[in-house]
Amino acid sequence: MISVEEAQGLVRNGVQPLGTETIALANSLANPGGRVLAETPKARISHPSQTVSAMDGYAVRAADVPTVPSTLTVIGESAAGHPFDGEVSEGQAVLIFTGAQVPPGADTVVIQEDVDRDGAEKNDTISVREIEAGRHIRAKGQDFNEGDQLLIPPLRLTARHIGLLAAADRPWLQVHRQPRVAILSTGDEIVLPGEPRGPAQIVSANGPALSAFVTQRGGIPVHLGVVKDDQDALTAMAEAAKDCNMLITSGGVSVGDRDLVRKAFESAGLEVGFHKIAMRPGKPLMFGHLGDIPVLGLPGNPVSALVCALLFASIAIDRLQGLHGDAPKPVPATLGADLAENGKRQDYMRAVLSRNDDGGWCATPIFMQDSSMIGALAQSAALIVRPMGAPAAKTGETVPVIPLDGLL
Ligand code: AMP
Ligand code: MG
């Protein structure tokens, strides 16, 4: 059996990025998983595009206020979208609002609170009570300049990147295509949620969960439904998945007589990369290729299926979108309970998280670690990673954990 890290490396190297497409910026977060930038976008304009005021006040020449108070004549106003048509000369000031262009000649904005104004008409005077030369001015290009490289691909775009591209006047952008990921649940006993169900049947947790996972990760799930433990039916499904960019199955990859996925898929051309890894939950995991489509065969138990999705499917889906395919990164946490010595498989223990007095995480394994317990996984906030052969660990020791929030 290979290790988790070896298996992750094989998945990463076994999946190539899809091509790119150009989309409208407004559509770039249509999928909750976002899109992955495929170009190096340059700013089409500077930001700000003009020198503007950061406050409401008066645009003045600092040299005209050598001492305070000093009196200046108000010659007009500059509002956002309505610049003052003229220059500020000696002894003059222009009423100015946030975001409005600073008129030529002025070098400082005095905030309204530091000024007394006599009257409200043009040619009224103001008395400046406090000034700091150069203050409250946003210079043209202080955020970025026309022609600057804004972002470096590959990068999963979020709201702040989209705001940046919008501000740089880039209504279109080039992104990697979204992978279409076929999802197939296998098993004679499986029905979909809401379907009529016999006494010996169970409801598929994996199909909906994996679809959600694919969507969250930026892919497009393609539901192939449920297929029986029947070799011909499974082979037909392998063929059906061939217009997708990836296939994820659940169930039927263990060693029982009814575990037919590998055999059936091999007769459809599956080349197996690895089968079985030294982890718990998820030992029967299988990875291979049908033609150039990566195939991940997940075990049927829902916790195994989802932990394997988090550790392996995430890498493949990210790679298809042009990302590096990094494995989820553990963070340190202190243990909230004693742990026994670990066996020969890397263990991912379901745990709840709380905060220590110093603000760090404390991870406490939940009572039962049975891989069928989707309820227990849903109540968990993290996985404690226990390497192969890890010695017994005491409450308060530091262990690596993978927080699930936002990932699974
Ligand atoms: P298998 O990997 O096919 O041996 O299945 C292992 C366990 O997972 C069995 O108890 C199955 O009934 C269960 N199982 C298989 N597929 C699903 C599914 N889609 N949703 C929930 N449980 C499943
Ligand atoms: Mg089965």
Side-chain angles (χ1 to χ4, degrees):
M1 279 192 291
I2 60 171
S3 70
V4 170
E5 289 70 23
E6 273 174 273
Q8 287 173 325
L10 291 171
V11 173
R12 188 176 300 117
N13 294 332
V15 181
Q16 300 313 315
L18 300 175
T20 64
E21 62 185 344
T22 300
I23 61 166
L25 183 65
N27 293 339
S28 54
L29 264 188
N31 181 299
R35 299 301 298 263
V36 176
L37 185 69
E39 63 174 322
T40 306
K42 288 194 174 147
R44 300 207 309 157
I45 53 173
S46 299
H47 188 247
S49 57
Q50 305 288 337
T51 294
V52 296
S53 177
M55 299 293 276
D56 293 336
Y58 291 86
V60 304
R61 299 157 24 121
D64 293 349
V65 188
T67 55
V68 287
S70 284
T71 301
L72 302 171
T73 305
V74 179
I75 58 167
E77 69 173 54
S78 180
H82 306 280
F84 175 67
D85 184 17
E87 248 184 73
V88 175
S89 304
E90 194 177 340
Q92 296 180 330
V94 163
L95 176 63
I96 196 162
F97 302 97
T98 305
Q101 278 184 44
V102 175
D107 55 26
T108 300
V109 168
V110 181
I111 60 173
Q112 211 160 280
E113 293 84 337
D114 291 340
V115 163
D116 294 316
R117 181 162 181 174
D118 300 321
E121 301 297 319
K122 201 173 151 191
N123 294 326
D124 286 342
T125 57
I126 52 168
S127 166
V128 177
R129 283 187 274 101
E130 212 175 307
I131 188 167
E132 195 183 324
R135 272 311 296 278
H136 306 308
I137 289 197
R138 295 180 177 145
K140 176 179 175 180
Q142 80 171 25
D143 194 11
F144 54 80
N145 274 301
E146 184 182 338
D148 283 356
Q149 280 187 10
L150 299 170
L151 298 167
I152 297 169
L155 171 80
R156 198 180 280 286
L157 296 165
T158 63
R160 69 187 201 277
H161 305 123
I162 288 161
L164 165 62
L165 292 165
D169 194 24
R170 299 204 49 116
W172 303 96
L173 73 163
Q174 222 192 341
V175 292
H176 284 278
R177 279 169 45 216
Q178 290 184 279
R180 286 163 45 82
V181 181
I183 292 169
L184 179 65
S185 303
T186 76
D188 286 353
E189 75 280 33
I190 310 295
V191 297
L192 291 175
E195 278 188 343
R197 176 171 48 87
Q201 290 187 298
I202 69 159
V203 182
S204 178
N206 297 345
L210 293 168
S211 293
F213 183 81
V214 166
T215 306
Q216 246 183 294
R217 208 77 204 181
I220 300 171
V222 177
H223 303 266
L224 298 186
V226 180
V227 66
K228 299 257 182 257
D229 295 313
D230 172 90
Q231 206 166 318
D232 292 341
L234 282 162
T235 306
M237 279 301 185
E239 294 295 336
K242 283 183 178 167
D243 355 308
C244 289
N245 306 115
M246 178 175 174
L247 169 60
I248 302 179
T249 65
S250 82
V253 287
S254 303
V255 291
D257 292 346
R258 296 297 180 95
D259 293 317
L260 300 172
V261 170
R262 176 172 182 165
K263 215 160 149 198
F265 282 17
E266 278 179 334
S267 67
L270 178 76
E271 300 277 350
V272 174
F274 65 80
H275 191 179
K276 291 195 181 64
I277 61 171
M279 77 178 271
R280 181 175 53 229
K283 176 175 156 194
L285 181 73
M286 180 181 83
F287 175 69
H289 288 87
L290 267 170
D292 51 14
I293 305 169
V295 178
L296 205 52
L298 308 179
N301 274 310
V303 176
S304 314
L306 288 177
V307 170
C308 287
L310 174 67
L311 297 179
F312 302 97
S314 61
I315 292 177
I317 299 168
D318 283 5
R319 284 290 292 148
L320 287 166
Q321 293 171 90
L323 290 168
H324 299 303
D326 296 325
K329 262 205 184 59
V331 298
T334 57
L335 266 177
D338 295 351
L339 293 179
E341 183 187 346
N342 191 30
K344 292 198 173 108
R345 291 191 274 151
Q346 182 146 303
D347 200 351
Y348 291 84
M349 302 182 77
R350 279 69 77 200
V352 292
L353 290 179
S354 56
R355 288 284 184 189
N356 291 321
D357 291 343
D358 66 2
W361 288 120
C362 172
T364 307
I366 56 168
F367 178 57
M368 283 179 86
Q369 295 286 327
D370 186 308
S371 64
S372 69
M373 291 170 62
I374 183 73
L377 178 64
Q379 298 301 327
S380 301
L383 300 172
I384 300 174
V385 186
R386 297 281 287 151
M388 291 184 214
K394 288 267 174 237
T395 303
E397 279 184 38
T398 301
V399 288
V401 306
I402 301 174
L404 299 178
D405 205 21
L407 290 179
L408 191 66

